[in-house]
Amino acid sequence: MPGLEVGDIAEKIVPLVQFPLLMRTILPGALATAILYPFLPFPPGLFRVLSLKDLEEHGFSLLAVAVLIFVSGALIALLNGQIYELYEGRWGWPSRLLNWSIAKQQSRVNKLQALKKDKESTDSGAETKRSEARNSLLSYPMNREAYYASRPTALGNILAAYEQYPYNRYGMSSVFYFTRIWMQMEKEKKEEIDSSWSIADGFLNLSATAMAGGLLWLAAATLSFFEVIEKVPLGDWLLSALGGLSWLILGYWFYRISLPFHRKNGELFKSIFDLYRDKIWNMTKIKTGEVNAWLAAWRYYQFRMFPVCRACGTEGTPGTRCEKCGTVVSAFR
């Protein structure tokens, strides 16, 4: 798959920076600051500080840059959920582009399934290609018959594939049960998993930041070309446009780099359900009349409302039969 080589290299480079704050906030904030820096009224040569005198002179500006890094990084981190939804294809996609992209992803799935089933090829690399096709198909959701593309992007299909795993294997809703399992896990294990997940989050945040920066620079270059504004990032509309294209390319590569880490996160997600679902097994042991009992307790402690028999109005215990008329007592009035 294109981009895997870059991702593999990145996976070897980042073991020392697996810190959620650094990956999700500081690095994206630093990138956003670099993108916005030419538009802001900072003094020239701010980062060419060579002496204590220069440091004292530009101290306030450097502090302002540091604040901008943390504020912009925090804002990007807060928007992480919306960034995922955009990259998955849940919102912001015109219907024609959405349908075309899903069809393109489905075409790739069809090719991979054909390659996986190809038993006629006998060359030395045929089995390797079939094995790679099987592994690549794991990045797509699956129904009872075959793999399929449900989202317009590789990332969207990776997430859809591992989010459906708990339901396919155990009949468990991943959205509902994951939070409850997570609350039962050991603190050290949660921190370890979150540190691993932060790498994929960080690269996706960097991608979104670079993409947004590229569009901003291109917009500035266009306005400068039509003489609407004078100030552009690199002093010239053409150079600024090339810079904007560079940001877009960088954003795309950050996205591609993130994909192997998202696949790794998917395996961790599936493992959590495999190994920890017994932690919430008691949720399945709902007692007879428990729903009525909890509702009755809440109404009593909150409003001093006693459960009564609907037939005759006699107070009683939820789930049991009324002593007077034999009707089942309900917590509902």
Side-chain angles (χ1 to χ4, degrees):
M1 179 177 294
L4 280 180
E5 296 81 1
V6 179
D8 293 339
I9 294 172
E11 191 169 4
K12 296 176 181 178
I13 292 175
V14 297
L16 298 179
V17 293
Q18 294 184 12
F19 305 103
L21 180 64
L22 177 67
M23 293 301 300
R24 294 189 177 116
T25 304
I26 297 177
L27 291 182
L31 182 62
T33 300
I35 292 170
L36 295 174
Y37 186 83
F39 297 94
L40 302 176
F42 288 113
L46 177 61
F47 294 101
R48 295 195 295 269
V49 178
L50 301 177
S51 66
L52 182 60
K53 180 180 178 180
D54 294 329
L55 182 60
E56 292 176 352
E57 180 181 352
H58 298 299
F60 181 79
S61 295
L62 290 171
L63 178 61
V65 169
V67 171
L68 181 59
I69 289 174
F70 278 99
V71 171
S72 57
L75 179 61
I76 293 168
L78 286 174
L79 295 174
N80 182 253
Q82 287 68 37
I83 291 173
Y84 267 95
E85 291 179 359
L86 176 62
Y87 275 73
E88 288 179 64
R90 294 188 182 184
W91 68 272
W93 288 66
S95 58
R96 288 188 178 182
L97 178 61
L98 180 68
N99 294 333
W100 178 83
S101 299
I102 292 177
K104 184 178 179 181
Q105 288 289 325
Q106 184 61 49
S107 176
R108 183 172 184 276
V109 172
N110 295 339
K111 290 179 181 178
L112 289 171
Q113 293 198 116
L115 182 59
K116 184 189 73 169
K117 297 177 181 178
D118 182 17
K119 302 296 184 180
E120 297 180 0
S121 299
T122 57
D123 59 272
S124 57
E127 184 56 39
T128 301
K129 292 179 180 179
R130 284 192 288 268
S131 177
E132 291 177 351
R134 285 192 293 269
N135 291 334
S136 296
L137 284 170
L138 295 176
S139 297
Y140 290 89
M142 183 181 187
N143 54 30
R144 294 183 177 181
E145 299 177 358
Y147 293 95
Y148 65 97
S150 64
R151 298 291 181 186
T153 64
L155 174 61
N157 285 294
I158 289 172
L159 299 185
Y162 72 70
E163 286 175 353
Q164 73 165 205
Y165 175 87
Y167 185 81
N168 288 345
R169 296 299 186 276
Y170 308 112
M172 300 175 70
S173 166
S174 60
V175 175
F176 179 81
Y177 286 110
F178 176 77
T179 304
R180 289 152 179 80
I181 293 176
W182 184 258
M183 295 296 293
Q184 294 295 321
M185 293 177 63
E186 303 86 352
K187 180 181 178 182
E188 296 77 11
K189 186 62 65 176
K190 289 194 290 187
E191 290 176 351
E192 179 184 344
I193 293 173
D194 185 59
S195 179
S196 176
W197 283 354
S198 70
I199 299 175
D201 291 344
F203 278 124
L204 197 65
N205 287 351
L206 286 168
S207 174
T209 303
M211 289 284 190
L215 295 176
L216 176 64
W217 280 40
L218 287 173
T222 302
L223 293 175
S224 176
F225 176 77
F226 289 105
E227 299 181 350
V228 177
I229 61 174
E230 295 182 1
K231 186 177 181 180
V232 287
L234 300 180
D236 179 78
W237 73 266
L238 181 57
L239 292 177
S240 299
L242 293 175
L245 290 175
S246 299
W247 286 124
L248 292 176
I249 293 171
L250 181 64
Y252 173 76
W253 279 106
F254 276 137
Y255 165 72
R256 297 301 305 182
I257 289 171
S258 76
L259 294 182
F261 295 104
H262 285 292
R263 294 188 187 93
K264 180 180 178 181
N265 291 352
E267 293 304 315
L268 287 173
F269 182 86
K270 292 189 286 187
S271 298
I272 288 173
F273 280 87
D274 291 336
L275 302 176
Y276 285 92
R277 68 186 186 280
D278 63 307
K279 295 286 186 179
I280 60 169
W281 184 251
N282 284 335
M283 287 185 63
T284 65
K285 300 176 181 178
I286 301 174
K287 300 176 182 177
T288 303
E290 182 175 346
V291 174
N292 269 331
W294 284 113
L295 282 169
W298 173 73
R299 293 189 174 202
Y300 170 74
Y301 287 111
Q302 189 77 2
F303 305 109
R304 294 278 299 174
M305 293 172 60
F306 291 89
V308 298
C309 171
R310 287 187 174 184
C312 65
T314 304
E315 294 180 1
T317 302
T320 63
R321 293 192 176 277
C322 174
E323 296 179 357
K324 185 175 181 180
C325 67
T327 304
V328 175
V329 178
S330 171
F332 301 94
R333 284 185 182 271

